[in-house]
Every structure is written in C-alpha cells, then in structure tokens.
Amino acid sequence: MRRFNFSMVGAALASLLILSVAHSAFAQTYPNKPVKMIIPFPPGGTLDSVGRQLAQKLSVQLGQQFIVENRPGGNGIIGADVVAKAPTDGYTLLFNASTFTTAPMTMKQVPYSVENDFSPVALVAKAPLSVAINKNLPVTDVKSLMAYAKANPEKMTFAVGSVGSAGHLATELLKKNGGLDYTVVPYKGTAPAFQDLIGGQIDGFIDPILGSLQYHKSGLLRVIAVTSAKRAPNLPDVPTVGETIPGYEFYSWYGLWAPTKVPNDIKELLNAQVNKALVTDLKDTLVQQGLIVSGGRMDEFQKFQASDMSRSQKLIKEANIRID
C-alpha cells in the first residue's frame, strides 16, 4: 500500500502560501516604475485619444507615468503580440478597441489567443459610430442613402479603416439590414479613409463619431446618421440609423487588457483605478466627444466581451470577411 507523504503536501502548501504573499506584497508596491500602455495603431483617431486621456489620469492617480506607446501594424496584431509576450508583472498593458477581439476572426493564424493570453481589466467606453457621406452626393439621411444606392447599383463605395473593425462590421450590417448595394473598400487606417471621403474618391465611411465630428461641423463631409440606440448628445440633430431601419444598433468599444498571468491583485487595482478615473472630469470629456462611459467589474467586462465576440463572429461569417 502506497503511503501518503504529508511532508511533501506541507511543502507544497507552504510554497503556495509564500507565492500568494509575494503576489500580494508585489501588488501593494505596484506601480513602482513607469507602466507601458501599448496602443496597436498609429497616433491619431479615437482609440489613441481615449487611451492617452486615460493614461494621463492613471499617471496622476497612481503616482507613476503610464506611457502610451503606439505599435501599429498587422491590423493591431503586432502591438497586441508585444503585450501577450511581455513579462507578467503588470508593467506592459494593452489599450485597444473592439477590433482586438474581432480582427483575429478574419485571419488564418494569429500568434496569440484573445481568450487565453489576455485578461479583460476594464471596459472604458462605448463609441457610437457615425455614417459619413461625401458632401457632393444627394444624400442627407438614411432614407435618401437607400434610394441613391438603389438607383446606382454597384457604384457606391464605403471605406473601412481596418478589416474586422467595428466600423467594418457596422458597414456590413447596414448593407444587409438596409438592402444596400455598395462596395466595401479596406484602408490602412482612418486618416486616409477620411481624406478620400472628403476628396470624393470614396462615397461613405462609418467610424466613431469623434473622427468625423470636426469634418462634419466644418462642412467637409456630411454625417447623416449615428449607430447608437439614441441620438448622440454632440449631434442632437442627426438621427439614428434605427429611426429608418428598426433594430439597427452598433458600437465600437475601448478597453484595457493585461497578460493573463499578471497577478490578480494588480488587475483588480487597475480596474479600480480606471473606474475612479471614469467619475472624474474625464467622464465629461469623453461624453463631449460622443462616447458612452462604461466602467464596471472585471467579470462584467469578460461577459460583455464574450457576448460581443459571439455576435461579431456571426457577422464576419455571414459577410465572409477575411484577410488572406
């Protein structure tokens, strides 16, 4: 009969206790040096703007610099992979949009797993999107957009800033639910897409409101609708898509992630600090930019992410969105 080795069990339990105490002590001193926040897209645009504003608040609240580092490339894959392979000490974090969870669904191979290699730390905000149209087109609302597209089959073009992004999925959903006929044209970022929309090389572009707001107000393009359930506070005269196409609703969203093996105490601390930042003047700033401030617990973010990924997977499959 095999004898049970109590000394080995005791040693194992002692090791676990020491590790737990070490993690807890580490969390109490965190952060004691600058924290790197990776944004896997170029500077500019809504994602970069929100990330930098949040980093500034966290720097003040925690007494250490949260340094934004843009690592663009591969539709966000390159920057995310840097975080996936970073030391699990909480000093390298990922700030990204919902593209982070959807882009890998469009690719044959990705060097990490969204679900297994990353922990959702905090949902920061949701971003209603704007349906922007070239100002020279005879399109002033969703109804006239549908009429124009029907009268000009296969002639209309809509830009997407990145394949598999919220803007891309919203564009495909509008095409499907509105019975529209237009060609989707991928761009490498939102800036060149807006340039071509203003210049008339492209007809339409769906992107977070903040990106199109200045161009709309200056008359360089025309925002004809927003994708939120209610009208946006900073565009009160612009109707929702749902006012013409019942049930249509779509958002981009922004969050903070950490490598999965970062100690839970550190992730909880970061979650608490993000929630704290979202009840300061940062909230008012984000609302003025057309965003819906979120926050909440880590487990709530995890459930939200899983639900959103399920919906996106269905859209991507139906529209056959792939990056070869």
Side-chain angles (χ1 to χ4, degrees), residues 29 35 75 150 172 176 218 254 304 314-315 321:
T29 61
V35 179
N75 205 19
K150 186 176 181 180
E172 295 288 358
K176 174 188 173 184
S218 63
Y254 309 111
F304 172 83
K314 183 179 179 182
L315 275 171
I321 302 173

Side-chain angles (χ1 to χ4, degrees), residues 154-165:
E154 300 183 3
K155 290 184 180 180
M156 283 201 77
T157 52
F158 264 71
V160 295
S162 59
V163 175
S165 65

Side-chain angles (χ1 to χ4, degrees), residues 209-228:
I209 290 173
L210 184 59
S212 62
L213 191 60
Q214 58 177 325
Y215 302 123
H216 172 72
K217 289 184 174 180
S218 63
L220 291 173
L221 53 76
R222 183 182 299 125
V223 172
I224 63 166
V226 294
T227 65
S228 46

